[in-house]
Amino acid sequence: MGTESAAVNFSELVNKNKQTLARLQKSPRLLLHRRDGEDLVLTTAARAEQDQTVVSAATRMLAAMARREPGSMELLLDILPDAFPWVRFLPEPDLHAFAVDLVETMRAADSVGNSASVAQLLIAWQHTAEVYSDPELLAALTRDHGEDHGPAPDPRDVL
């Protein structure tokens, strides 16, 4: 069995559904390219459940380790640069805050079965690291501009 996802055009699923679906026996996922929208990923319910079980188990183990094992936070801080090289740009207090946020958000996301908040957290912290990596941008964003531009408009009013 292959480990890479197969890819087909969405029209193949529509026009040759039996042959296209048969490809799921050789590949864990089938990437469906669409012309008029975002690509889709098709997998079996059993594989999706297996993936969720693995992610959930890893999340629970990481969270339990971070809470209970003395020195585990230091270990997590040591390995984060291997998993996320961009954390090297974060100041020490922010690196620690990222580690705590990551574990807590992974645990909360696992409890509701939706990893979108973890993806958003990673993106937000990576953008923070990008700011710290650029001295000019960091200076521009952290300097006191000396003037108050008044209250910001409520973003819900823009919609």
Side-chain angles (χ1 to χ4, degrees), residues 24-138:
L24 283 173
Q25 293 177 347
K26 298 176 184 170
S27 177
R29 283 166 210 80
L30 188 59
L31 178 63
L32 301 172
H33 296 294
R34 298 189 317 161
R35 283 186 304 206
D36 299 335
E38 186 177 358
D39 290 348
L40 302 174
V41 176
L42 183 64
T43 191
T44 65
R47 284 192 178 123
E49 188 175 334
Q50 289 170 349
D51 289 348
Q52 181 57 40
T53 298
V54 170
V55 170
S56 183
T59 296
R60 286 188 303 239
M61 289 188 313
L62 177 65
M65 182 187 77
R67 282 193 324 268
R68 295 187 186 136
E69 186 65 33
S72 61
M73 185 53 76
E74 288 74 22
L75 176 60
L76 181 59
L77 293 170
D78 285 344
I79 64 171
L80 279 175
D82 291 332
F84 308 104
W86 47 262
V87 301
R88 287 177 172 84
F89 296 114
L90 294 175
E92 190 66 34
D94 285 354
L95 178 59
H96 190 272
F98 167 65
V100 171
D101 280 355
L102 180 61
V103 171
E104 290 176 358
T105 303
M106 287 176 67
R107 188 166 175 258
D110 179 56
S111 74
V112 296
N114 186 337
S115 61
S117 58
V118 178
Q120 182 58 43
L121 175 105
L122 290 170
I123 291 167
W125 275 105
Q126 183 173 3
H127 289 318
T128 301
E130 290 169 1
V131 169
Y132 279 109
S133 74
D134 183 337
E136 289 179 27
L137 180 58
L138 180 62

Side-chain angles (χ1 to χ4, degrees), residues 8-16 20 33 35:
V8 298
N9 291 326
F10 185 78
S11 59
E12 285 187 51
L13 176 63
V14 174
N15 297 324
K16 302 175 186 176
T20 305
H33 296 294
R35 283 186 304 206

